Amino acid sequence: MNTKSLVTLSLLVGIGAVLHTVVPGFVFGMKPDLMLLMMFLGIFLLPDLKNALLIGTVTGIISALTTSFPGGQIPNIIDKIFTALIIYAIYTLVRKFAKPTVASLSLTFIGTLLSGTIFLSSAYLLVGLPGPFLTLAAGAILPALVINTVMMAFIYPIAVNILRRTNVAFTS
């Protein structure tokens, strides 16, 4: 891993931590997970298995520290690691056939849905849910799908342009 990649991933995780902290929990303590947006961006801009594992783990730990969901610490870690690895695997297959922007938007949508489902399922199995599964999914996962996908449409082209100008190696 090179220093530029680590610094880039660190900045994305830091931005994600701020977003995750300032967004309030509004449906039984659940909130749209904007930290996922930064995790996905890191995977798309620096597609490497080590990077995906690193950003998934660090994002999971920071999400666990800033969660407002009762008992959501372990489910956050599980969710982020699995989601990062699955999205990385899909992205490595898809990026050869799809335009980078289309791949980033569709995988952000799929990844947010996957992450929310993994989170709620693991929370259900480990600590129980403070409300009905469908209510939690509709109240937090669906808004996050829309927010993350729309924000990725704006952020991804800007990030690609910045990384090209600063000569940070990435494949896109």
Side-chain angles (χ1 to χ4, degrees):
M1 299 182 84
N2 67 38
T3 305
K4 286 183 181 181
S5 295
L6 289 174
V7 169
T8 302
L9 292 174
S10 299
L11 288 170
L12 292 173
V13 169
I15 293 167
V18 170
L19 290 172
H20 197 263
T21 303
V22 299
V23 173
F26 54 86
V27 178
F28 297 109
M30 279 192 71
K31 55 185 167 184
D33 194 350
L34 300 180
M35 190 170 240
L36 277 176
L37 179 70
M38 295 299 127
M39 183 178 84
F40 295 148
L41 191 59
I43 292 168
F44 302 151
L45 296 176
L46 302 161
D48 181 68
L49 181 58
K50 291 183 283 188
N51 290 344
L53 184 59
L54 177 66
I55 199 165
T57 303
V58 172
T59 302
I61 292 168
I62 293 175
S63 290
L65 294 172
T66 59
T67 188
S68 60
F69 188 85
Q73 290 75 21
I74 301 298
N76 260 303
I77 295 170
I78 293 168
D79 147 45
K80 298 299 184 295
I81 293 172
F82 281 114
T83 301
L85 293 175
I86 292 168
I87 291 302
Y88 167 75
I90 296 171
Y91 183 69
T92 56
L93 297 172
V94 170
R95 73 179 178 186
K96 297 172 186 164
F97 307 108
K99 291 185 176 187
T101 305
V102 174
S104 68
L105 293 177
S106 57
L107 288 178
T108 297
F109 184 88
I110 292 166
T112 304
L113 180 62
L114 177 68
S115 173
T117 304
I118 291 171
F119 176 80
L120 284 178
S121 299
S122 59
Y124 174 73
L125 294 172
L126 294 172
V127 296
L129 297 176
F133 188 95
L134 291 177
T135 302
L136 294 169
I141 297 172
L142 294 179
L145 286 171
V146 174
I147 293 167
N148 285 352
T149 305
V150 168
M151 286 181 71
M152 184 64 80
F154 290 103
I155 293 172
Y156 182 77
I158 295 167
V160 167
N161 192 16
I162 290 170
L163 290 182
R164 279 199 180 120
R165 278 196 255 143
T166 57
N167 295 322
V168 174
F170 72 99
T171 354
S172 181

